[in-house]
Amino acid sequence: MKHLLTATALVAALSGMAGAAELTVAAANVSSYLDPGKDHSNVGSQFYFNSFDPLIHKDYSKADPEWQPGLATEWTLIEPTVMELKLRPGVTFHNGEQMTADDVVFSLNRMFQATFPPYQVRMRDRLSNFDHAEKVDDHTVRIHVKREEPLFETLLNLQQTFIIPEDYTKALSGDPKVAEDSDYEAFAMAPVGTGPYRIAEFVPGQKIVWERFDGFWGEQAPLDRVNVIQVGEVASRLTALRTGEADIATNIAPDQLSTIEADPTLKVVGGATPLFHVMIMNQNHPKLQDARIRQALMLAIDRNLLNEALWLGKAVVPDSHTMEEFGPFYMPELKTFEYNPERAKELLAEAGYDGSEITFDTQGSYYTNGMLAAQAITEMWNAVGIKASIRDLPKWSGNDPEMMARNWSNPMYFNDPFGSFGVMWAPGGPSQSEGRFNTDETYAEIWDRFRFSKDIEARKAAYAELMDHMAKDPAVLPLYRPYESWAMRTDLNWAPKPGHIPYVLDFRAGSVALTN
Amino acid sequence: MTAFPMIARNTALGAFWASGDRIQRLALVLGAALALAALAAPLIAGFDPTAQSLISRLRPPLGFEGARPGHWLGTDELGRDLLSRCLYGLRLTLSLALMGATLGLMLGGLLGVLAGVAGKRIDAVIMTAVDTQIAIPFTLVALFMLSVFGSSLTVMVLVLGLAGWEQYARILRGEVMRLMQMPFIEAARAAGASPLRIALTHVLPNVVSPVVVQFTLSLSNIILLESTLSFLGLGVQPPTATLGAMVGVGRDYMPNAPWIVLAPALLILAVTFCVQILGDWLRDRADVRLRAR
């Protein structure tokens, strides 16, 4: 963390040196759509911050949130369940429209009262406590929540509550006065926001071009143009960097670090990302309905060995679904997950495991070291007597009833257990919506205490109960916090900021600078 | 290259050996060694090709700093013995190529003979199919088939079998048409032999030679196709080793562990070299016009 802060300070100091400049990023993946409302993927998270703003910003150079004015300049809790926000005047969207209270109400209500199915998932998993937003006057809005919200500012800082233009969106298809699903689909191909860079070109899965937006309300962007090109293979990304075709390469595996460090023209920045690479298991697959089988799958995995071998010991292996960034809710005392191959064998015998094949899905190079970890995990399963194989699939299989186990990630979307475990494993959240995770009344009751208790100890106690639940009837195993690295030219000063969610490519003023 | 003087020159093999130049003899010896190594992989490989040793990842070949005893060619990205994976990969790659080439021969051979002996209409249909196959880049067809039907061993063999069948069909059709004009076929026909009997007893023995030559030549193309598909990640799925898949995975490690890609790449080079040279040699021997020169 110290390294990140130092790098950030250096970047801030050098930012004044940046003149007209163009940058090219060789990214492992580029999104197939760009809509901050429906997206919560690691790939998508890279791209929104440069082009969109939330109502409430924060100091992204700090891990602990320090709220700052965004598109709202003031906010006050006028009732326990109502927040009033004064909007920033003179904010212009990339298409030239002025931002109004109507745009803010539209942007928020499309998520709070979602009718578009992808928004409904985000509404259920993290925004379910919001009731609606209303316009008070041209520069004032009120946001109503159903129950007192301990995370009000936090949730109004999320990517999903970034502001988009109402008229532009509604006019994208069909009736220009009505917001239709097809409007949102169209918006994802031609997104418009208020951030310092406008999206000048978007080729799904291949390319994004940002151009500086001169009408930005804040400090002007330091770069004229940023090109993001998809380069799937890590060797090709490094080659692009060496030949000058790219200035930054994302997702560099630890195995490659030594070769970059040996090159005087290149450098690398990175750290243990606030995100877990996890293994998920389908509770409803006929072969995995017995919880003992799933427990055995977890107990057979030596996560420390994976860390030592694949991450050179630079990743962080947790005992539970918890991380330091949770602040007072960091609970290292929980021992939810362990490695015990002998117990795994016993559980398999008790459950009467019949030797049928258990598959582990992975998605090529989507996750750094994803394929290596998949092969190592299936070998560990084989060692305790599980017949295991890999399915290397071209797309997400978490919603496929045939999926038995696969890799996934649980990012920390905000500094709270709700921002990581909570989002992914909420009743009605993405895991349950995809039919691979079940919750009952007991789980929902514990969840409610964890989510809304104002007392820290009460929330922690409820979270411990959720972890206990997950140990007994498992659906997820956090493998490790991956050590993610970005390689770049030595004359470029850029580093991921600790206040961002994982993978954000922040090229705003103060975040990037060229020294030549 | 005079290691086999005792092979009697009057035997077929002896005559064959004597007819070759240095390169051809080298290809024969090397090819035989590779085939033997592939056949005997379970006996000579020191390790299980899928057995991982995560603490021994990316170890260089013996003779380099950091090498692990017993791992002659070093280890791969999961600590698996590279020599063992190469041997098993060679075995699987050759098996797939042989099965694919055999399937292509059977399909193309049958259709070629049919086109040659049946009427004009059937001939036109088959030759249209042949022309269509020639016109479409087969790698694209293979990629499509594997992405639709998955990349199991069975699908892989079928895809490889469909690669090159048209060459057999064209060669056999031409040979059969030529033979059908020969006096001994006329005689058989006059004696009342059925078309099937004529095809099996009179035509087939006379087309074996060009078919064998074509089989050898197409083998190297199929090996390269299998390697290409595996390199692209559409071949046999991990952890099973094929040479193309090993090159595909190894390319990410070229800067820091080049042996992972070099070993299987050199094996592909050696195998295709041997098969190609031997195919040319066989063709030279089979073609009386060339042999006379």
Side-chain angles (χ1 to χ4, degrees), chain A residues 233-235 242 255-256 258-259 305-306 309-310 312 371-372 375-376 379-380 390-392, chain B residues 50-52 54-55 57-58 77-78 80 85 233 237-239 248 251-256:
Chain A
E233 306 300 333
V234 66
R242 289 201 172 93
D255 284 336
Q256 312 291 340
S258 58
T259 58
L305 179 57
L306 292 178
L310 306 185
L312 311 181
M371 177 55 87
L372 288 182
Q375 292 184 76
E379 182 72 5
M380 289 171 184
I390 291 173
R391 293 199 306 171
D392 183 14
Chain B
T50 61
Q52 301 170 7
L54 291 177
I55 52 169
R57 298 176 68 231
L58 306 175
E77 73 283 0
L78 284 167
R80 297 171 295 203
R85 285 185 71 73
Q237 293 298 293
R251 70 190 189 276
D252 273 348
Y253 298 90
M254 282 186 72
N256 57 329

mmCIF file of all heavy atoms in Angstrom, chain A residues 233-235 242 255-256 258-259 305-306 309-310 312 371-372 375-376 379-380 390-392, chain B residues 50-52 54-55 57-58 77-78 80 85 233 237-239 248 251-256:
data_model
loop_
_atom_site.group_PDB
_atom_site.id
_atom_site.type_symbol
_atom_site.label_atom_id
_atom_site.label_comp_id
_atom_site.label_asym_id
_atom_site.label_seq_id
_atom_site.Cartn_x
_atom_site.Cartn_y
_atom_site.Cartn_z
ATOM 1 N N GLU A 233 -2.946 -12.398 -25.430
ATOM 2 C CA GLU A 233 -1.848 -13.184 -24.878
ATOM 3 C C GLU A 233 -0.847 -12.282 -24.179
ATOM 4 O O GLU A 233 -0.466 -11.232 -24.709
ATOM 5 C CB GLU A 233 -1.142 -13.963 -25.990
ATOM 6 C CG GLU A 233 -2.056 -14.823 -26.817
ATOM 7 C CD GLU A 233 -2.779 -15.872 -25.984
ATOM 8 O OE1 GLU A 233 -2.232 -16.269 -24.940
ATOM 9 O OE2 GLU A 233 -3.889 -16.264 -26.355
ATOM 10 N N VAL A 234 -0.379 -12.724 -23.034
ATOM 11 C CA VAL A 234 0.536 -11.896 -22.252
ATOM 12 C C VAL A 234 1.844 -11.657 -23.012
ATOM 13 O O VAL A 234 2.404 -10.551 -22.974
ATOM 14 C CB VAL A 234 0.771 -12.499 -20.851
ATOM 15 C CG1 VAL A 234 1.502 -13.829 -20.908
ATOM 16 C CG2 VAL A 234 1.526 -11.531 -19.969
ATOM 17 N N ALA A 235 2.321 -12.669 -23.738
ATOM 18 C CA ALA A 235 3.566 -12.496 -24.495
ATOM 19 C C ALA A 235 3.384 -11.435 -25.576
ATOM 20 O O ALA A 235 4.282 -10.621 -25.834
ATOM 21 C CB ALA A 235 3.990 -13.827 -25.125
ATOM 22 N N ARG A 242 7.291 -3.609 -25.876
ATOM 23 C CA ARG A 242 8.706 -3.481 -26.271
ATOM 24 C C ARG A 242 8.863 -2.785 -27.613
ATOM 25 O O ARG A 242 9.835 -2.063 -27.834
ATOM 26 C CB ARG A 242 9.359 -4.866 -26.317
ATOM 27 C CG ARG A 242 9.561 -5.470 -24.950
ATOM 28 C CD ARG A 242 10.630 -6.564 -24.965
ATOM 29 N NE ARG A 242 10.925 -6.981 -23.601
ATOM 30 C CZ ARG A 242 10.322 -8.001 -23.000
ATOM 31 N NH1 ARG A 242 9.427 -8.712 -23.641
ATOM 32 N NH2 ARG A 242 10.628 -8.315 -21.748
ATOM 33 N N ASP A 255 5.037 -14.657 -13.387
ATOM 34 C CA ASP A 255 6.121 -15.343 -14.104
ATOM 35 C C ASP A 255 6.873 -14.407 -15.041
ATOM 36 O O ASP A 255 8.020 -14.667 -15.407
ATOM 37 C CB ASP A 255 5.553 -16.500 -14.939
ATOM 38 C CG ASP A 255 5.189 -17.695 -14.072
ATOM 39 O OD1 ASP A 255 5.770 -17.819 -12.984
ATOM 40 O OD2 ASP A 255 4.320 -18.471 -14.492
ATOM 41 N N GLN A 256 6.205 -13.344 -15.478
ATOM 42 C CA GLN A 256 6.822 -12.455 -16.462
ATOM 43 C C GLN A 256 7.566 -11.287 -15.815
ATOM 44 O O GLN A 256 8.234 -10.523 -16.514
ATOM 45 C CB GLN A 256 5.745 -11.881 -17.391
ATOM 46 C CG GLN A 256 4.773 -12.902 -17.947
ATOM 47 C CD GLN A 256 5.418 -13.853 -18.930
ATOM 48 O OE1 GLN A 256 6.464 -13.547 -19.470
ATOM 49 N NE2 GLN A 256 4.824 -15.007 -19.119
ATOM 50 N N SER A 258 10.160 -10.904 -13.906
ATOM 51 C CA SER A 258 11.620 -10.823 -13.938
ATOM 52 C C SER A 258 12.125 -10.337 -15.295
ATOM 53 O O SER A 258 13.100 -9.581 -15.372
ATOM 54 C CB SER A 258 12.242 -12.189 -13.610
ATOM 55 O OG SER A 258 11.776 -13.150 -14.521
ATOM 56 N N THR A 259 11.451 -10.748 -16.371
ATOM 57 C CA THR A 259 11.916 -10.318 -17.693
ATOM 58 C C THR A 259 11.656 -8.822 -17.897
ATOM 59 O O THR A 259 12.428 -8.141 -18.565
ATOM 60 C CB THR A 259 11.227 -11.111 -18.822
ATOM 61 O OG1 THR A 259 9.817 -10.939 -18.719
ATOM 62 C CG2 THR A 259 11.546 -12.569 -18.751
ATOM 63 N N LEU A 305 0.012 -23.522 -1.576
ATOM 64 C CA LEU A 305 0.897 -24.040 -2.620
ATOM 65 C C LEU A 305 0.623 -23.314 -3.944
ATOM 66 O O LEU A 305 1.560 -22.957 -4.672
ATOM 67 C CB LEU A 305 0.700 -25.547 -2.783
ATOM 68 C CG LEU A 305 1.549 -26.233 -3.857
ATOM 69 C CD1 LEU A 305 3.037 -25.987 -3.616
ATOM 70 C CD2 LEU A 305 1.267 -27.723 -3.907
ATOM 71 N N LEU A 306 -0.656 -23.064 -4.224
ATOM 72 C CA LEU A 306 -0.986 -22.305 -5.438
ATOM 73 C C LEU A 306 -0.334 -20.928 -5.391
ATOM 74 O O LEU A 306 0.221 -20.452 -6.387
ATOM 75 C CB LEU A 306 -2.505 -22.134 -5.573
ATOM 76 C CG LEU A 306 -3.333 -23.387 -5.859
ATOM 77 C CD1 LEU A 306 -4.821 -23.022 -5.897
ATOM 78 C CD2 LEU A 306 -2.928 -24.030 -7.169
ATOM 79 N N ALA A 309 3.504 -21.281 -5.834
ATOM 80 C CA ALA A 309 3.933 -21.730 -7.158
ATOM 81 C C ALA A 309 3.527 -20.766 -8.270
ATOM 82 O O ALA A 309 4.340 -20.438 -9.136
ATOM 83 C CB ALA A 309 3.341 -23.117 -7.436
ATOM 84 N N LEU A 310 2.289 -20.315 -8.243
ATOM 85 C CA LEU A 310 1.789 -19.533 -9.376
ATOM 86 C C LEU A 310 1.967 -18.031 -9.185
ATOM 87 O O LEU A 310 2.037 -17.278 -10.151
ATOM 88 C CB LEU A 310 0.301 -19.824 -9.622
ATOM 89 C CG LEU A 310 -0.087 -21.296 -9.805
ATOM 90 C CD1 LEU A 310 -1.560 -21.406 -10.152
ATOM 91 C CD2 LEU A 310 0.752 -21.958 -10.877
ATOM 92 N N LEU A 312 4.312 -16.721 -6.919
ATOM 93 C CA LEU A 312 5.622 -16.505 -6.288
ATOM 94 C C LEU A 312 5.449 -15.989 -4.856
ATOM 95 O O LEU A 312 6.260 -15.207 -4.348
ATOM 96 C CB LEU A 312 6.463 -15.515 -7.113
ATOM 97 C CG LEU A 312 6.540 -15.795 -8.620
ATOM 98 C CD1 LEU A 312 7.413 -14.766 -9.317
ATOM 99 C CD2 LEU A 312 7.037 -17.209 -8.899
ATOM 100 N N MET A 371 -5.966 -20.517 -16.043
ATOM 101 C CA MET A 371 -5.839 -21.875 -16.576
ATOM 102 C C MET A 371 -4.850 -22.705 -15.759
ATOM 103 O O MET A 371 -5.069 -23.899 -15.504
ATOM 104 C CB MET A 371 -5.393 -21.807 -18.045
ATOM 105 C CG MET A 371 -5.158 -23.156 -18.697
ATOM 106 S SD MET A 371 -6.566 -24.268 -18.610
ATOM 107 C CE MET A 371 -7.473 -23.776 -20.064
ATOM 108 N N LEU A 372 -3.769 -22.071 -15.328
ATOM 109 C CA LEU A 372 -2.790 -22.801 -14.501
ATOM 110 C C LEU A 372 -3.438 -23.264 -13.202
ATOM 111 O O LEU A 372 -3.263 -24.406 -12.770
ATOM 112 C CB LEU A 372 -1.590 -21.898 -14.180
ATOM 113 C CG LEU A 372 -0.629 -21.603 -15.319
ATOM 114 C CD1 LEU A 372 0.519 -20.741 -14.813
ATOM 115 C CD2 LEU A 372 -0.089 -22.886 -15.911
ATOM 116 N N GLN A 375 -5.758 -26.202 -13.731
ATOM 117 C CA GLN A 375 -5.055 -27.479 -13.892
ATOM 118 C C GLN A 375 -4.488 -27.968 -12.559
ATOM 119 O O GLN A 375 -4.514 -29.162 -12.251
ATOM 120 C CB GLN A 375 -3.931 -27.330 -14.917
ATOM 121 C CG GLN A 375 -4.458 -27.102 -16.326
ATOM 122 C CD GLN A 375 -3.342 -27.060 -17.345
ATOM 123 O OE1 GLN A 375 -2.786 -28.070 -17.710
ATOM 124 N NE2 GLN A 375 -3.016 -25.875 -17.795
ATOM 125 N N ALA A 376 -3.974 -27.032 -11.780
ATOM 126 C CA ALA A 376 -3.418 -27.434 -10.481
ATOM 127 C C ALA A 376 -4.530 -27.921 -9.552
ATOM 128 O O ALA A 376 -4.359 -28.929 -8.846
ATOM 129 C CB ALA A 376 -2.684 -26.247 -9.848
ATOM 130 N N GLU A 379 -5.698 -31.383 -10.463
ATOM 131 C CA GLU A 379 -4.680 -32.365 -10.046
ATOM 132 C C GLU A 379 -4.793 -32.626 -8.538
ATOM 133 O O GLU A 379 -4.656 -33.770 -8.083
ATOM 134 C CB GLU A 379 -3.283 -31.826 -10.391
ATOM 135 C CG GLU A 379 -2.140 -32.764 -10.061
ATOM 136 C CD GLU A 379 -2.056 -33.969 -10.987
ATOM 137 O OE1 GLU A 379 -2.828 -34.030 -11.949
ATOM 138 O OE2 GLU A 379 -1.224 -34.862 -10.705
ATOM 139 N N MET A 380 -5.062 -31.577 -7.767
ATOM 140 C CA MET A 380 -5.235 -31.749 -6.321
ATOM 141 C C MET A 380 -6.487 -32.588 -6.028
ATOM 142 O O MET A 380 -6.505 -33.387 -5.095
ATOM 143 C CB MET A 380 -5.338 -30.378 -5.638
ATOM 144 C CG MET A 380 -4.016 -29.615 -5.610
ATOM 145 S SD MET A 380 -4.240 -27.907 -5.036
ATOM 146 C CE MET A 380 -2.576 -27.252 -5.226
ATOM 147 N N ILE A 390 -11.159 -30.537 -16.852
ATOM 148 C CA ILE A 390 -11.318 -29.096 -17.097
ATOM 149 C C ILE A 390 -12.206 -28.884 -18.316
ATOM 150 O O ILE A 390 -12.086 -29.614 -19.307
ATOM 151 C CB ILE A 390 -9.943 -28.451 -17.340
ATOM 152 C CG1 ILE A 390 -9.135 -28.460 -16.046
ATOM 153 C CG2 ILE A 390 -10.075 -27.023 -17.872
ATOM 154 C CD1 ILE A 390 -7.722 -28.003 -16.229
ATOM 155 N N ARG A 391 -13.085 -27.897 -18.226
ATOM 156 C CA ARG A 391 -13.798 -27.434 -19.423
ATOM 157 C C ARG A 391 -13.303 -26.019 -19.708
ATOM 158 O O ARG A 391 -13.571 -25.103 -18.934
ATOM 159 C CB ARG A 391 -15.316 -27.392 -19.188
ATOM 160 C CG ARG A 391 -15.955 -28.749 -18.989
ATOM 161 C CD ARG A 391 -17.473 -28.704 -19.235
ATOM 162 N NE ARG A 391 -18.161 -27.693 -18.449
ATOM 163 C CZ ARG A 391 -19.451 -27.366 -18.624
ATOM 164 N NH1 ARG A 391 -20.154 -27.969 -19.553
ATOM 165 N NH2 ARG A 391 -20.029 -26.428 -17.880
ATOM 166 N N ASP A 392 -12.553 -25.878 -20.785
ATOM 167 C CA ASP A 392 -12.072 -24.540 -21.168
ATOM 168 C C ASP A 392 -13.118 -23.945 -22.097
ATOM 169 O O ASP A 392 -13.246 -24.353 -23.242
ATOM 170 C CB ASP A 392 -10.711 -24.647 -21.863
ATOM 171 C CG ASP A 392 -10.146 -23.279 -22.209
ATOM 172 O OD1 ASP A 392 -10.662 -22.269 -21.689
ATOM 173 O OD2 ASP A 392 -9.187 -23.227 -22.996
ATOM 174 N N THR B 50 1.179 -35.958 -16.952
ATOM 175 C CA THR B 50 0.262 -34.974 -16.350
ATOM 176 C C THR B 50 0.580 -34.719 -14.873
ATOM 177 O O THR B 50 -0.078 -33.900 -14.239
ATOM 178 C CB THR B 50 -1.204 -35.431 -16.461
ATOM 179 O OG1 THR B 50 -1.346 -36.659 -15.761
ATOM 180 C CG2 THR B 50 -1.631 -35.593 -17.901
ATOM 181 N N ALA B 51 1.577 -35.419 -14.332
ATOM 182 C CA ALA B 51 1.902 -35.262 -12.905
ATOM 183 C C ALA B 51 2.582 -33.911 -12.665
ATOM 184 O O ALA B 51 3.627 -33.619 -13.254
ATOM 185 C CB ALA B 51 2.796 -36.402 -12.448
ATOM 186 N N GLN B 52 1.969 -33.112 -11.810
ATOM 187 C CA GLN B 52 2.508 -31.773 -11.548
ATOM 188 C C GLN B 52 3.433 -31.786 -10.338
ATOM 189 O O GLN B 52 3.283 -32.588 -9.431
ATOM 190 C CB GLN B 52 1.367 -30.791 -11.270
ATOM 191 C CG GLN B 52 0.376 -30.666 -12.395
ATOM 192 C CD GLN B 52 -0.859 -29.886 -11.975
ATOM 193 O OE1 GLN B 52 -0.928 -29.336 -10.887
ATOM 194 N NE2 GLN B 52 -1.849 -29.850 -12.846
ATOM 195 N N LEU B 54 4.353 -28.479 -8.437
ATOM 196 C CA LEU B 54 4.257 -27.013 -8.491
ATOM 197 C C LEU B 54 5.502 -26.323 -7.949
ATOM 198 O O LEU B 54 5.801 -25.185 -8.319
ATOM 199 C CB LEU B 54 3.010 -26.545 -7.742
ATOM 200 C CG LEU B 54 1.672 -26.908 -8.398
ATOM 201 C CD1 LEU B 54 0.509 -26.453 -7.538
ATOM 202 C CD2 LEU B 54 1.554 -26.309 -9.779
ATOM 203 N N ILE B 55 6.221 -27.008 -7.058
ATOM 204 C CA ILE B 55 7.425 -26.359 -6.518
ATOM 205 C C ILE B 55 8.593 -26.460 -7.505
ATOM 206 O O ILE B 55 9.648 -25.882 -7.278
ATOM 207 C CB ILE B 55 7.849 -26.952 -5.158
ATOM 208 C CG1 ILE B 55 7.971 -28.471 -5.261
ATOM 209 C CG2 ILE B 55 6.883 -26.557 -4.054
ATOM 210 C CD1 ILE B 55 8.639 -29.085 -4.066
ATOM 211 N N ARG B 57 8.330 -25.658 -10.908
ATOM 212 C CA ARG B 57 7.889 -25.056 -12.158
ATOM 213 C C ARG B 57 9.047 -24.414 -12.917
ATOM 214 O O ARG B 57 9.996 -23.917 -12.313
ATOM 215 C CB ARG B 57 6.853 -23.956 -11.900
ATOM 216 C CG ARG B 57 5.590 -24.399 -11.261
ATOM 217 C CD ARG B 57 4.711 -23.204 -10.973
ATOM 218 N NE ARG B 57 4.219 -22.579 -12.189
ATOM 219 C CZ ARG B 57 4.321 -21.284 -12.449
ATOM 220 N NH1 ARG B 57 4.894 -20.467 -11.584
ATOM 221 N NH2 ARG B 57 3.841 -20.793 -13.576
ATOM 222 N N LEU B 58 8.945 -24.439 -14.250
ATOM 223 C CA LEU B 58 9.824 -23.666 -15.130
ATOM 224 C C LEU B 58 11.312 -23.925 -14.885
ATOM 225 O O LEU B 58 12.130 -23.008 -14.929
ATOM 226 C CB LEU B 58 9.523 -22.165 -14.984
ATOM 227 C CG LEU B 58 8.061 -21.748 -15.183
ATOM 228 C CD1 LEU B 58 7.882 -20.260 -14.897
ATOM 229 C CD2 LEU B 58 7.575 -22.065 -16.582
ATOM 230 N N GLU B 77 5.166 -25.123 -17.145
ATOM 231 C CA GLU B 77 4.570 -24.099 -16.266
ATOM 232 C C GLU B 77 3.874 -24.693 -15.051
ATOM 233 O O GLU B 77 3.511 -23.960 -14.136
ATOM 234 C CB GLU B 77 3.616 -23.215 -17.073
ATOM 235 C CG GLU B 77 2.296 -23.847 -17.491
ATOM 236 C CD GLU B 77 2.416 -24.797 -18.676
ATOM 237 O OE1 GLU B 77 3.539 -24.982 -19.191
ATOM 238 O OE2 GLU B 77 1.397 -25.372 -19.081
ATOM 239 N N LEU B 78 3.657 -26.009 -15.047
ATOM 240 C CA LEU B 78 3.066 -26.644 -13.866
ATOM 241 C C LEU B 78 4.015 -27.669 -13.252
ATOM 242 O O LEU B 78 3.590 -28.534 -12.487
ATOM 243 C CB LEU B 78 1.735 -27.311 -14.234
ATOM 244 C CG LEU B 78 0.562 -26.327 -14.420
ATOM 245 C CD1 LEU B 78 -0.619 -27.010 -15.095
ATOM 246 C CD2 LEU B 78 0.127 -25.721 -13.097
ATOM 247 N N ARG B 80 5.595 -30.060 -14.769
ATOM 248 C CA ARG B 80 5.528 -31.374 -15.398
ATOM 249 C C ARG B 80 6.784 -31.601 -16.235
ATOM 250 O O ARG B 80 7.342 -30.646 -16.792
ATOM 251 C CB ARG B 80 4.271 -31.481 -16.272
ATOM 252 C CG ARG B 80 2.983 -31.364 -15.477
ATOM 253 C CD ARG B 80 1.769 -31.263 -16.353
ATOM 254 N NE ARG B 80 1.759 -30.042 -17.141
ATOM 255 C CZ ARG B 80 0.663 -29.479 -17.640
ATOM 256 N NH1 ARG B 80 -0.513 -30.039 -17.420
ATOM 257 N NH2 ARG B 80 0.726 -28.384 -18.351
ATOM 258 N N ARG B 85 6.206 -35.173 -21.470
ATOM 259 C CA ARG B 85 5.076 -34.572 -22.182
ATOM 260 C C ARG B 85 5.330 -34.537 -23.691
ATOM 261 O O ARG B 85 4.418 -34.716 -24.493
ATOM 262 C CB ARG B 85 4.785 -33.159 -21.661
ATOM 263 C CG ARG B 85 4.108 -33.177 -20.317
ATOM 264 C CD ARG B 85 3.716 -31.817 -19.839
ATOM 265 N NE ARG B 85 2.608 -31.184 -20.558
ATOM 266 C CZ ARG B 85 1.335 -31.540 -20.464
ATOM 267 N NH1 ARG B 85 0.992 -32.557 -19.688
ATOM 268 N NH2 ARG B 85 0.397 -30.890 -21.129
ATOM 269 N N GLY B 233 -5.877 -23.469 -29.152
ATOM 270 C CA GLY B 233 -6.673 -23.826 -27.979
ATOM 271 C C GLY B 233 -7.939 -24.582 -28.326
ATOM 272 O O GLY B 233 -8.797 -24.785 -27.475
ATOM 273 N N GLN B 237 -8.122 -30.991 -24.998
ATOM 274 C CA GLN B 237 -8.089 -30.095 -23.849
ATOM 275 C C GLN B 237 -7.020 -30.493 -22.824
ATOM 276 O O GLN B 237 -6.664 -31.662 -22.702
ATOM 277 C CB GLN B 237 -9.460 -30.086 -23.183
ATOM 278 C CG GLN B 237 -10.527 -29.445 -24.055
ATOM 279 C CD GLN B 237 -10.221 -27.980 -24.358
ATOM 280 O OE1 GLN B 237 -10.235 -27.146 -23.478
ATOM 281 N NE2 GLN B 237 -9.930 -27.681 -25.613
ATOM 282 N N PRO B 238 -6.509 -29.502 -22.080
ATOM 283 C CA PRO B 238 -5.522 -29.799 -21.051
ATOM 284 C C PRO B 238 -6.143 -30.673 -19.950
ATOM 285 O O PRO B 238 -7.354 -30.642 -19.787
ATOM 286 C CB PRO B 238 -5.170 -28.412 -20.503
ATOM 287 C CG PRO B 238 -6.305 -27.524 -20.890
ATOM 288 C CD PRO B 238 -6.871 -28.100 -22.150
ATOM 289 N N PRO B 239 -5.340 -31.448 -19.261
ATOM 290 C CA PRO B 239 -3.876 -31.464 -19.268
ATOM 291 C C PRO B 239 -3.262 -32.395 -20.308
ATOM 292 O O PRO B 239 -2.051 -32.557 -20.332
ATOM 293 C CB PRO B 239 -3.557 -31.983 -17.852
ATOM 294 C CG PRO B 239 -4.669 -32.931 -17.554
ATOM 295 C CD PRO B 239 -5.891 -32.346 -18.212
ATOM 296 N N GLY B 248 1.421 -23.787 -28.011
ATOM 297 C CA GLY B 248 0.450 -22.725 -27.728
ATOM 298 C C GLY B 248 0.595 -22.190 -26.316
ATOM 299 O O GLY B 248 0.604 -20.971 -26.101
ATOM 300 N N ARG B 251 4.134 -20.311 -25.596
ATOM 301 C CA ARG B 251 4.505 -19.021 -26.180
ATOM 302 C C ARG B 251 4.444 -17.897 -25.155
ATOM 303 O O ARG B 251 5.124 -16.886 -25.305
ATOM 304 C CB ARG B 251 3.649 -18.695 -27.395
ATOM 305 C CG ARG B 251 2.199 -18.364 -27.103
ATOM 306 C CD ARG B 251 1.455 -18.314 -28.422
ATOM 307 N NE ARG B 251 0.110 -17.809 -28.321
ATOM 308 C CZ ARG B 251 -0.951 -18.536 -27.992
ATOM 309 N NH1 ARG B 251 -0.793 -19.805 -27.667
ATOM 310 N NH2 ARG B 251 -2.142 -18.013 -27.965
ATOM 311 N N ASP B 252 3.636 -18.082 -24.110
ATOM 312 C CA ASP B 252 3.607 -17.062 -23.056
ATOM 313 C C ASP B 252 4.885 -17.067 -22.226
ATOM 314 O O ASP B 252 5.130 -16.134 -21.476
ATOM 315 C CB ASP B 252 2.406 -17.300 -22.133
ATOM 316 C CG ASP B 252 1.160 -16.611 -22.665
ATOM 317 O OD1 ASP B 252 1.296 -15.786 -23.582
ATOM 318 O OD2 ASP B 252 0.064 -16.918 -22.172
ATOM 319 N N TYR B 253 5.639 -18.126 -22.326
ATOM 320 C CA TYR B 253 6.845 -18.245 -21.489
ATOM 321 C C TYR B 253 8.124 -18.105 -22.298
ATOM 322 O O TYR B 253 9.209 -18.381 -21.797
ATOM 323 C CB TYR B 253 6.827 -19.596 -20.750
ATOM 324 C CG TYR B 253 5.653 -19.711 -19.819
ATOM 325 C CD1 TYR B 253 4.444 -20.229 -20.268
ATOM 326 C CD2 TYR B 253 5.726 -19.254 -18.517
ATOM 327 C CE1 TYR B 253 3.340 -20.298 -19.432
ATOM 328 C CE2 TYR B 253 4.635 -19.316 -17.667
ATOM 329 C CZ TYR B 253 3.450 -19.845 -18.135
ATOM 330 O OH TYR B 253 2.365 -19.896 -17.301
ATOM 331 N N MET B 254 8.012 -17.685 -23.543
ATOM 332 C CA MET B 254 9.212 -17.599 -24.387
ATOM 333 C C MET B 254 10.298 -16.696 -23.797
ATOM 334 O O MET B 254 11.480 -17.037 -23.869
ATOM 335 C CB MET B 254 8.834 -17.143 -25.796
ATOM 336 C CG MET B 254 8.249 -18.280 -26.606
ATOM 337 S SD MET B 254 7.963 -17.835 -28.309
ATOM 338 C CE MET B 254 9.624 -17.774 -28.922
ATOM 339 N N PRO B 255 9.948 -15.565 -23.202
ATOM 340 C CA PRO B 255 11.030 -14.723 -22.681
ATOM 341 C C PRO B 255 11.776 -15.341 -21.499
ATOM 342 O O PRO B 255 12.983 -15.164 -21.366
ATOM 343 C CB PRO B 255 10.300 -13.450 -22.225
ATOM 344 C CG PRO B 255 8.985 -13.475 -22.898
ATOM 345 C CD PRO B 255 8.643 -14.917 -23.062
ATOM 346 N N ASN B 256 11.062 -16.071 -20.634
ATOM 347 C CA ASN B 256 11.721 -16.549 -19.416
ATOM 348 C C ASN B 256 11.916 -18.057 -19.357
ATOM 349 O O ASN B 256 12.690 -18.529 -18.527
ATOM 350 C CB ASN B 256 10.954 -16.077 -18.166
ATOM 351 C CG ASN B 256 9.503 -16.517 -18.177
ATOM 352 O OD1 ASN B 256 8.914 -16.648 -19.227
ATOM 353 N ND2 ASN B 256 8.934 -16.731 -17.013
#
